[in-house]
Amino acid sequence: MSNSPVEKIDVQAVNKKENRSLYVSRKKIHPKRAEGTFRRLKWIIMGITLAIYYVSPWIRWDRGPLAPDQAILIDLEHNRFYFFFIELWPQEVYYITGILILAALGLFMVTSLFGRAWCGYSCPQTVWTDLFIVVERAIEGDRNARLKLDKAPMSFSKLMKRVSKHTSWLIIGLLTGGAWIFYFADAPTLIQEVLTGEARSVAYSTIGVLTATTYVFGGLMREQVCTYMCPWPRIQGAMVDEHSLTVTYHTARGEPRGPHKKNDTWDGRGHCIDCNQCVAVCPMGIDIRDGAQLECISCALCIDACDAVMEKVGLPKGLISYDTHIGRVSKEPITKLDVPFIRPRTIAYAVLLTLVGSIMLYALLTRSALDVNVIRDRNPLFVQLSDGTIRNGYTVKILNKVHDVRRFQVTIDGLENAKAWNQSEGPQFEHIVVPVPGDTLSAIKLFIAAPRSELESGSMDITIIVKDLVSGLTEKQSTTFKGPK
Amino acid sequence: MSKVERDEHSGTETTGHEWDGIKELDTPMPRWWLWSFYACIVWSIGYWIVMPAWPLVSDYTRGMLGYSSRALVTEELATVAAGRAEVTKALQETELADVKNNQELYQFAVSGGRSHYAVNCSQCHGSGAQGGPGFPNLNDDDWLWGGKVDEIYATIQYGIRSDHDETRTGEMPAFLKDEILEKGQVNDVTEYVLSLSQEGRDAEAVARGKEVFMNECASCHGENAKGGREFGAPNLTDAIWFYGGDKETVQKTIANGRQNVMPAWADRLDDTVIRQIALYVHSLGGGE
């Protein structure tokens, strides 16, 4: 075999079907470094995603003197969420729900088109594991060197390598956990507090927990997280079908496989030379030639490895490539142009995405700077006054989303001769005027009284109108006025 | 159990238990589980030493740390009281009628009053202060002893017919039971009282009843029957009835009298608390 142009690597997929049992201890994987198109793509995406994560909290956004100047801020203390020009109140968490639904639908859509593209390229677990492997490779060398180091007896140089590797990992973990907290407080202030030891203990404990999880997940557990902890591999089977582009070994072209010497004929044999390069580069430790399997994260490093080998032995690339299940079993692999991207499944996802997205956009564009909620008193339902008048009590919650104080006029519609008054203003008025401080929710106790003769039935529908005296912005809330039957 | 049975597939010993042909394997506990268990035992021993743990006959082991949740609560309550000292003082020094001019103080008083009301007053007056027969509705604008916040404050402090020296007392005699009036006169005066707020009563009985009323009842309820707050005598002409406005109930009230009691709270509750409750009751919508 020494004259073979491509050396066969002695490696076996850790989870080959034949070897699978319900529980086995982890077998350590030392992925070999791949070079090629997809590896480059992964470097680029890693750079972009890490940059977004580390830089985002430092973007400034001027909102005036009374609001924080951080573009993306989850202000737990004051119950506000800021995202550039959007400012959300706790009453508006349905936007978050909407974003989660959009994210889920987007994930379904991408999966039905390209398999687990999310997992292979942009999942934080993948990105940080990749980063950790880069560090590992820089310190301990590539696959063979690492295997040798594992077997070698403990020595000073081995100890030094191990210590510097774990220290580097811990530093990355620390920076990861450290960056997270800046989303929750003013970043420039917080970093000073953290460095001088003045930050609140929750900041330090968050950093601690996230350092630990990053180190353990990215450094120690790696593919175990994807295989055993993540629910997504179990669900994705329902998202992909025979038309989805997944990382695929073309069985019809590759089999029967076997070692190949230079100048041998390719007649009567497949193009796979059984060099195991695809297995050696796989960060999940699988053999793609076994077909689609839940561990595969579609990172396509095996495509890079196999393409390099095909080039060496003078065969066309693409023995392993992004292809559909139909392409996998057909003699002639289908080209990218044949892939039916538009099919009922993707149309359904696209329609749902558009629908939810439009609803979100509509809600956001029509979002009012005033929100009114009326809650009727239920205990007692109504009160009879000494002159026979019936009085109902209400709590009117006025949400002033503007940063300045505003004065609101509260009037009643649908009840003749009604009088209104609030807790501290004894006399009865036709309407009341309430000031609400900026960026505040005010709960106002409102009493409405009407002569018995105005009640047509035991329960009447009325409308409470809240109007901003300056801008004229008006919110109406319907409620009921109850009296004796 | 001398014979050890082994499972033929896994080679593991069985426990000897069998259900429907399925045998239980005697697989040892996972090591991490065992070590966690031992660690818990060690931890618990340490815990017994430093924390209160074992009950004794009339006491308990107090632990080296001297932890006591009761002491912590006392401490926390003291902290809360200290934190409120300023606003409590302000409430003490402000005229009750003026409190509403200070919104912050007013909110403190009313929300505090609400929770103190729920603990001390809701048993009789109801959780919504809607009252019931014999227990006044505190939401409406009909007040036996006055609906100004000072008057409400005094009522809560001293109670009605309570054992407090300054209690408010008014007496509704039992006109029939004590043989002040004849049965027929009771019926007549009932008709008269009802005629003040209801139409279509027996005109002859009303006329006779009015005479009786002027002699016997007007001294407290007033000649126009609008009540008198110095005796806590209800207004008989309005739409609100203390015990009920049907003929039978009114007749019963006149025949047997009414002597309901409201306890005095001055010695039971802190003065600040009573002030808070008075302001809360006043805020229910009927306060004068």
Side-chain angles (χ1 to χ4, degrees):
Chain A
M1 238 195 286
S2 56
N3 58 350
S4 162
V6 177
E7 181 196 356
K8 173 168 175 157
I9 298 177
D10 179 28
V11 61
Q12 202 183 28
V14 295
N15 47 10
K16 262 196 142 24
K17 199 164 69 185
E18 307 82 74
N19 303 341
R20 257 183 223 200
S21 68
L22 272 179
Y23 182 80
V24 277
S25 300
R26 182 185 181 218
K27 285 187 195 130
K28 206 166 175 184
I29 298 167
H30 283 299
K32 188 172 182 293
R33 170 123 163 206
E35 301 289 350
T37 320
F38 292 104
R39 182 63 264 185
R40 271 196 298 281
L41 183 62
K42 268 170 79 78
W43 289 138
I44 293 166
I45 294 174
M46 184 206 267
I48 295 170
T49 48
L50 287 176
I52 291 173
Y53 175 70
Y54 285 109
V55 173
S56 298
W58 298 91
I59 305 169
R60 302 272 92 190
W61 192 268
D62 188 15
R63 292 190 184 85
L66 293 166
D69 289 338
Q70 189 157 318
I72 302 170
L73 180 67
I74 301 159
D75 191 348
L76 293 177
E77 207 171 322
H78 304 101
N79 294 322
R80 296 285 183 282
F81 172 65
Y82 300 96
F83 187 84
F84 295 95
F85 61 94
I86 302 171
E87 179 185 334
L88 294 186
W89 287 55
Q91 289 83 348
E92 298 166 313
V93 278
Y94 55 82
Y95 285 111
I96 311 284
T97 314
I99 288 169
L100 289 175
I101 293 172
L102 279 183
L105 286 173
L107 193 55
F108 296 168
M109 175 111 177
V110 169
T111 305
S112 70
L113 290 173
F114 306 110
R116 287 170 71 186
W118 160 260
C119 302
Y121 300 93
S122 45
C123 174
Q125 174 66 18
T126 292
V127 171
W128 266 281
T129 302
D130 232 17
L131 188 62
F132 276 35
I133 294 175
V134 173
V135 171
E136 189 170 58
R137 188 170 183 275
I139 294 170
E140 297 183 347
D142 204 7
R143 178 180 154 81
N144 288 338
R146 296 206 295 270
L147 285 170
K148 228 168 99 188
L149 189 71
D150 270 3
K151 287 205 189 92
M154 188 47 81
S155 67
F156 180 72
S157 82
K158 180 172 174 173
L159 185 70
M160 282 317 292
K161 279 179 180 168
R162 284 282 144 94
V163 168
S164 50
K165 178 177 83 174
H166 288 281
T167 314
S168 310
W169 282 355
L170 279 167
I171 290 169
I172 296 172
L174 190 69
L175 294 176
T176 307
W180 181 253
I181 61 169
F182 296 125
Y183 286 89
F184 296 85
D186 185 59
T189 319
L190 186 60
I191 197 166
Q192 279 183 10
E193 290 174 354
V194 168
L195 294 177
T196 52
E198 286 163 1
R200 289 192 296 174
S201 58
V202 64
Y204 294 107
S205 55
T206 306
I207 296 176
V209 168
L210 291 174
T211 304
T213 47
T214 311
Y215 170 74
V216 172
F217 284 11
L220 309 180
M221 292 176 70
R222 292 187 182 174
E223 80 288 347
Q224 303 282 98
V225 175
C226 308
T227 311
Y228 296 112
M229 289 169 70
C230 180
W232 187 229
R234 325 267 155 179
I235 303 167
Q236 55 140 359
M239 306 291 152
V240 294
D241 55 26
E242 70 273 28
H243 300 302
S244 304
L245 279 180
T246 53
V247 174
T248 305
Y249 165 72
H250 293 102
T251 322
R253 179 183 154 192
E255 300 297 319
R257 64 182 90 151
H260 178 257
K261 283 184 192 131
K262 218 170 182 176
N263 303 325
D264 273 2
T265 172
W266 291 99
D267 290 340
R269 46 173 297 151
H271 286 177
C272 176
I273 60 166
D274 206 11
C275 65
N276 282 341
Q277 295 282 354
C278 54
V279 181
V281 294
C282 180
M284 302 299 293
I286 60 169
D287 187 343
I288 194 63
R289 293 170 299 177
D290 293 341
Q293 47 208 293
L294 75 81
E295 288 88 348
C296 176
I297 57 170
S298 278
C299 69
L301 293 181
C302 50
I303 300 181
D304 280 346
C306 188
D307 279 352
V309 170
M310 287 298 110
E311 210 167 347
K312 259 185 192 166
V313 298
L315 287 170
K317 290 180 179 180
L319 176 58
I320 304 175
S321 69
Y322 266 106
D323 207 337
T324 62
H325 177 72
I326 293 172
R328 170 183 152 84
V329 288
S330 69
K331 276 278 176 204
E332 288 295 315
I334 60 174
T335 67
K336 295 272 150 64
L337 295 173
D338 297 335
V339 177
F341 284 119
I342 299 166
R343 46 186 205 268
R345 181 189 290 263
T346 56
I347 292 169
Y349 288 140
V351 167
L352 283 173
L353 269 171
T354 319
L355 199 69
V356 179
S358 313
I359 294 171
M360 293 268 294
L361 201 64
Y362 175 77
L364 198 64
L365 292 176
T366 56
R367 184 174 175 268
S368 168
L370 167 67
D371 216 1
V372 175
N373 259 300
V374 175
I375 303 154
R376 257 200 101 250
D377 280 2
R378 282 184 241 167
N379 185 12
L381 270 179
F382 61 87
V383 172
Q384 181 183 249
L385 301 184
S386 51
D387 62 357
T389 302
I390 304 299
R391 194 191 73 204
N392 281 213
Y394 302 86
T395 303
V396 181
K397 292 190 170 181
I398 302 178
L399 205 68
N400 179 10
K401 294 180 194 163
V402 176
H403 291 287
D404 302 310
V405 64
R406 291 199 285 179
R407 285 162 59 76
F408 296 100
Q409 184 189 56
V410 182
T411 44
I412 307 128
D413 191 29
L415 195 63
E416 292 297 311
N417 294 317
K419 308 264 186 192
W421 70 96
N422 66 11
Q423 251 177 347
S424 48
E425 286 177 64
Q428 303 180 12
F429 298 99
E430 296 302 325
H431 64 260
I432 59 170
V433 173
V434 283
V436 179
D439 202 36
T440 309
L441 170 79
S442 269
I444 294 129
K445 186 81 202 180
L446 175 72
F447 292 113
I448 298 176
R452 180 88 188 257
S453 55
E454 298 296 343
L455 263 80
E456 289 148 9
S457 62
S459 176
M460 285 175 71
D461 292 326
I462 61 165
T463 309
I464 290 175
I465 303 161
V466 177
K467 183 178 166 192
D468 179 2
L469 283 175
V470 176
S471 70
L473 186 65
T474 304
E475 273 284 315
K476 293 180 182 178
Q477 280 289 316
S478 50
T479 180
T480 52
F481 187 89
K482 286 193 189 297
K485 294 245 160 54
Chain B
M1 294 296 282
S2 55
K3 188 170 150 271
V4 174
E5 193 191 351
R6 283 185 183 277
D7 172 57
E8 57 180 289
H9 298 292
S10 62
T12 313
E13 284 180 28
T14 65
T15 59
H17 302 155
E18 189 178 330
W19 294 272
D20 296 340
I22 300 168
K23 286 174 185 165
E24 186 186 23
L25 300 187
D26 192 10
T27 312
M29 288 293 191
R31 215 176 315 159
W32 66 265
W33 192 96
L34 270 182
W35 281 111
S36 312
F37 180 58
Y38 296 144
C40 288
I41 293 173
V42 173
W43 174 266
S44 70
I45 293 169
Y47 197 89
W48 295 339
I49 297 167
V50 297
M51 297 295 275
W54 288 94
L56 306 174
V57 177
S58 58
D59 201 7
Y60 58 93
T61 58
R62 286 173 189 278
M64 281 162 62
L65 292 181
Y67 174 85
S68 157
S69 52
R70 183 181 284 262
L72 280 183
V73 171
T74 316
E75 212 173 283
E76 276 169 26
L77 287 177
T79 316
V80 171
R84 286 184 185 161
E86 206 173 311
V87 65
T88 313
K89 190 160 163 264
L91 188 58
Q92 282 293 335
E93 287 170 356
T94 312
E95 284 287 318
L96 279 171
D98 293 337
V99 171
K100 68 165 185 267
N101 298 328
N102 179 344
Q103 270 304 311
E104 211 175 310
L105 188 61
Y106 185 68
Q107 284 307 325
F108 167 76
V110 170
S111 40
R114 181 180 295 119
S115 59
H116 291 303
Y117 173 90
V119 174
N120 298 293
C121 319
S122 62
Q123 292 82 349
C124 291
H125 290 281
S127 58
Q130 73 276 34
F135 301 99
N137 183 345
L138 306 176
N139 292 285
D140 63 28
D141 58 347
D142 199 17
W143 298 94
L144 294 173
W145 299 92
K148 293 198 170 57
V149 66
D150 288 318
E151 294 164 334
I152 297 170
Y153 172 62
T155 304
I156 302 170
Q157 271 188 306
Y158 309 132
I160 314 293
R161 290 180 273 274
S162 72
D163 47 11
H164 196 280
D165 291 340
E166 298 193 39
T167 187
R168 311 188 130 179
T169 311
E171 196 166 335
M172 174 71 192
F175 285 96
L176 185 66
K177 211 164 80 181
D178 294 348
E179 294 172 0
I180 307 167
L181 295 176
E182 303 280 320
K183 206 166 188 172
Q185 287 176 304
V186 170
N187 184 58
D188 292 345
V189 84
T190 304
E191 283 293 320
Y192 172 69
V193 167
L194 290 173
S195 77
L196 294 170
S197 51
Q198 289 174 19
E199 285 173 22
R201 307 305 307 186
D202 179 349
E204 279 178 34
V206 167
R208 288 196 302 271
K210 182 170 183 179
E211 208 173 309
V212 179
F213 184 88
M214 290 304 168
N215 291 334
E216 302 291 343
C217 317
S219 53
C220 290
H221 288 282
E223 293 192 356
N224 54 11
K226 292 219 181 273
R229 285 179 175 178
E230 60 271 38
F231 311 111
N235 181 347
L236 304 175
T237 64
D238 64 16
I240 294 168
W241 292 94
F242 191 8
Y243 295 96
D246 57 303
K247 184 169 179 183
E248 200 186 335
T249 309
V250 176
Q251 212 160 13
K252 216 166 160 181
T253 303
I254 298 168
N256 301 330
R258 298 284 187 184
Q259 304 295 334
N260 275 32
V261 171
M262 153 102 177
W265 295 91
D267 301 328
R268 309 188 198 192
L269 295 178
D270 188 70
D271 186 53
T272 314
V273 171
I274 298 179
R275 282 167 172 267
Q276 287 181 310
I277 298 174
L279 282 159
Y280 168 68
V281 169
H282 186 261
S283 80
L284 289 171
E288 290 170 348

